[in-house]
Amino acid sequence: MMAPNVSCLLLAVLFSAGCKVITSSDQICAEKEANKAYNCEYLGLREIPDTLPNTTEVLEFSFNFLPTIQNTTFSRLINLTFLDLTRCQINWLHEDTFQSHHQLSTIVLTGNPLIFMAETSLNGPKSLKHLFLTQTGISDLEFIPVHNLENLESLHLGSNHITSIKLPTNFPTQNLKILDFQNNAIHYLTRKDIDSLKPATNLSLNLNGNDIKGIESGAFHSKIFQNLNFGGTFDVSVILKGLQNSTIQSLWLGTFEDYEDQDISSAMLQGLCEMSVESINLQKHHFSDFSSTTFQCFTQLQELDLTATHLKALPSGIKGMNSLKKLVLNVNNFDQLCQINAASFPSLTHLYIKGNMKKLDLGAGCLERLENLRKLDLSHNDIEASDCCNLQLKNLPHLQCLNLSYNEPLGLQSQAFKESPQLEVLDLAFTHLHVNVPQSPFQNLHLLQVLNLSHCLLDTSNQRLLAGLPDLRHLNLRGNRFQDGSIPKTNLLQTVGSLEILILASCDLLSIDQQAFYSLEKIHLVDLSHNNLTGDSIAALSHLKGIYLNLAANNIHIVSPYVLPILSQQSTINLSHNPLDCTCSNIRFLTWFKENIHKLEGLEETVCANPPPLKGVKLSDVKLSCGITAVGIFFLIVFLFLLIILFTFLVKYLLRWKYQQF
Amino acid sequence: MQGLTAALLAWALLHPGGGGGEAWPTHTACRDSGLEVLYQSCDPLQDFGFSIDQCSKQLKSNLNIRFGLILREDIKELFFDIALLTKGSSILNFSYPVCEGDQPKFSFCGRRKGEQVYYAGPVNNPGFIVPEGEYQVLLELYNENHSIVACANATVICS
């Protein structure tokens, strides 16, 4: 009994081992771009597979197993420009690893437990621009070999054990634009630390998640930075004092849900008076004494982001904020729009009040002093109004972009946006609109180019709905319904002849009249996906040429031969996810499909639904031989018919002849 | 010996294709005062660790949780989907943005593919009482490209 069991065990072990070998050699890298870009992630590879061509330029090799990398590891792939070695369990980077890789510009070593990088391990690339050493266990910046970093533009050192940003004296920084020290243990910044970054110009320095406790006074004296990020700092006054006499384009001082922070008092923002900042972000902070004096050092500011700062109102009578161009007040607690006291910011061009925590009442004329406003975002605010929007958005003569998406129902009358005649983009997606027939709410928006009306529950039978939009190029009507699921000959699109992009996806359409799109002559994209259209609806596009046509996820079984020329004249067509017929009754279409395969998109998902043996087979793989074509059948029937007639005549004649004999 | 053979047979049956069908073990996120939360990673490539600090039928608001995982993707933008089912019928579907470009809510927002993330902190949930019963919960974290960051099949048993 023993022997067979042992052999069984052996067999099982061998079998399992065999299986493993097969699976690992079976797995091949995915080709992203022929001979150039490959993805080999998560394949458990221990070396570069032989299947990769020598011409490979972009190689995503993360989550494999390369404990040691040396000059033989990648030697074959000398054209590499981008190499991602994230989490390959690399311990050692030996001498001259990238010696022959002159084109290499990006090396990603994130998440590798590096023990040592040889002095010459990064030598070779002529212009190494981006180096990612995130979470590699670095505690001392001397760890990074400096010999070939002259061209470095970004250095990522996040999530390490670094305590000082001071770069080694011979560290080349002249081309450095991004220096990322996120989530390290840096608590103090000294004058020497900042001086070590000196040759770099317009540097972005990220110290997010480091909790800076002190900055040596004068450390930032006459220093210029593009971006400085001190996100998650407990006491922002430490930062603002430390940045004295600096010039900063953008300063990020926000905090997070999971971080403790000290409430900001007006006194803590005093430091802003001693520096020059264009843009500041204070997201998620609490303010202890919010008043007009809070802003006394904000006079030079151009952009202010107060996202989720628990604001119920902005104080009235703020003075000297004439230069503010962009104000972000998303995710706060306003009841009424007038509570932002917009008059304090007369130069504002961009205003964002998105995702208010309470139902926002637009009031009347709350923004009327913002004559320069170009962009206004009021989305996700539960705004409700029975008669919008002339009173609410009074006097915004230069408004170009208005977002009112994701709100409660709005009632629109004719010329509902008369106060903003310069509108170019209007987004009303997912906001139910009540428009009485035959009102034209968008009348006189002479410059409107983009109108998003998706999921607005529109009354599409109103033929005047889109009247007065001479320049409209992009119209999104996704998710709106048409009476009886059909677009008739006369419809609301007839007034928008300048359309270039039309989206009618998910509209439950069953049919489109042949002449429904007749007025649309400039169109170059029509999206009719996710409807219940059949092949006959294609006839509505007969006058259009060279368009992108999306017919995915419809109910197309058979495409009649008479619409094939209409498809042929378009540039790109998507017919995926349709119940296509792969029998001889659809042979003309199937032949056409093969001949026009270069025009078709979504080939992987364009499969047969019928006949049952071919269900799920890609149309491009179907080989059908239909012995007799329809014409053939016709001639056969005619032939048989003639034969029968001839036969009857013959029989008649024979019988007559026979009877005559008697 | 017979037992060993049986075990081998069972092993072979449970591992079709030599490891392809392997499932991650089921972990306990919390078990306390009548509430039990079990979860299993449905990401074929990795498991993750998760626990809830206080577990009770009367779920408190702003719970503290702990989780640890390796990021498969950058999470400059991160979204959280939850689907709640009981006895096969859906009760609740919910999507929540965790990290967004213009509002990184948590300190881990913006971390990169390959980073190991450990988070211990609040989740900003509303408090509610869990009615008795057994619930299936499908949780999914994904980034702006809809690439999976984490996925879990959870079971909540309230008795």
Side-chain angles (χ1 to χ4, degrees), chain A residues 283-333:
Chain A
Q283 78 150 26
K284 287 200 168 283
H285 279 290
H286 286 85
F287 289 92
S288 59
D289 57 343
F290 213 74
S291 67
S292 58
T293 55
T294 307
F295 294 101
Q296 62 185 352
C297 291
F298 287 59
T299 52
Q300 301 300 314
L301 213 59
Q302 296 200 7
E303 297 183 14
L304 176 61
D305 191 326
L306 295 171
T307 296
T309 44
H310 320 274
L311 296 176
K312 291 195 175 75
L314 283 182
S316 59
I318 300 171
K319 292 209 170 57
M321 283 194 78
N322 294 331
S323 49
L324 199 71
K325 296 271 192 299
K326 179 177 164 185
L327 179 60
V328 184
L329 296 169
N330 299 340
V331 203
N332 279 301
N333 301 302

Side-chain angles (χ1 to χ4, degrees), chain A residues 198-225:
Chain A
K198 211 164 196 176
T201 48
N202 283 329
L203 187 68
S204 293
L205 179 63
N206 190 347
L207 289 161
N208 191 34
N210 276 289
D211 194 18
I212 304 294
K213 295 196 166 81
I215 299 177
E216 189 181 343
S217 86
F220 282 87
H221 194 89
S222 57
K223 300 286 191 302
I224 301 168
F225 283 91

Side-chain angles (χ1 to χ4, degrees), chain A residues 114 177 186 285 376 532 641:
Chain A
L114 300 180
K177 295 279 172 262
I186 300 154
H285 279 290
L376 176 61
N532 288 306
F641 192 62

Side-chain angles (χ1 to χ4, degrees), chain A residues 611-629:
Chain A
L614 286 176
K615 197 174 178 183
V617 175
K618 278 191 276 175
L619 237 66
S620 49
D621 294 344
V622 171
K623 284 189 185 76
L624 218 55
S625 60
C626 301
I628 311 166
T629 62

Side-chain angles (χ1 to χ4, degrees), chain B:
Chain B
M1 211 59 208
Q2 209 113 47
L4 182 67
T5 319
L8 270 170
L9 197 73
W11 179 87
L13 283 171
L14 282 171
H15 296 75
E22 235 170 316
W24 300 109
T26 301
H27 308 287
T28 309
C30 76
R31 180 185 290 150
D32 208 2
S33 39
L35 192 73
E36 191 175 355
V37 181
L38 305 169
Y39 75 94
Q40 185 184 33
S41 170
C42 41
D43 178 351
L45 294 173
Q46 66 168 3
D47 200 357
F48 70 96
F50 175 70
S51 79
I52 307 170
D53 273 10
Q54 308 101 1
C55 201
S56 85
K57 275 193 238 182
Q58 212 151 359
L59 215 60
K60 284 185 190 144
S61 62
N62 218 10
L63 282 172
N64 279 307
I65 61 147
R66 301 191 306 127
F67 74 74
L69 86 166
I70 289 169
L71 293 178
R72 287 176 50 182
E73 302 287 337
D74 288 359
I75 53 166
K76 191 171 168 49
E77 306 226 331
L78 183 67
F79 305 93
F80 174 64
D81 275 11
I82 183 165
L84 185 63
L85 296 101
T86 184
K87 293 173 191 145
S89 59
S90 167
I91 314 175
L92 175 83
N93 279 298
F94 187 69
S95 186
Y96 177 79
V98 182
C99 304
E100 287 174 292
D102 59 359
Q103 197 198 0
K105 291 195 180 80
F106 294 90
S107 58
F108 54 76
C109 294
R111 296 184 75 174
R112 291 188 180 274
K113 178 178 106 177
E115 277 198 71
Q116 170 194 324
V117 170
Y118 172 72
Y119 176 81
V123 286
N124 200 8
N125 63 298
F128 58 93
I129 298 164
V130 187
E132 257 178 46
E134 192 175 315
Y135 306 90
Q136 282 77 48
V137 191
L138 179 67
L139 306 154
E140 225 171 72
L141 282 168
Y142 54 91
N143 75 352
E144 63 268 36
N145 307 321
H146 272 267
S147 303
I148 294 292
V149 173
C151 168
N153 277 318
T155 309
V156 178
I157 305 159
C158 186
S159 53

Side-chain angles (χ1 to χ4, degrees), chain A residues 572-639:
Chain A
T572 311
I573 303 147
N574 191 334
L575 285 163
S576 62
H577 301 284
N578 273 296
L580 292 163
D581 191 297
C582 296
T583 62
C584 283
S585 51
N586 208 12
I587 187 71
R588 290 278 296 277
F589 167 68
L590 293 169
T591 319
W592 174 90
F593 191 91
K594 294 233 163 114
E595 286 164 359
N596 291 276
I597 209 125
H598 58 282
K599 287 187 174 179
L600 290 147
E601 197 188 63
L603 290 172
E604 292 291 314
E605 288 85 32
T606 312
V607 296
C608 305
N610 193 40
L614 286 176
K615 197 174 178 183
V617 175
K618 278 191 276 175
L619 237 66
S620 49
D621 294 344
V622 171
K623 284 189 185 76
L624 218 55
S625 60
C626 301
I628 311 166
T629 62
V631 181
I633 291 170
F634 175 71
F635 277 112
L636 194 74
I637 289 167
V638 169
F639 181 68

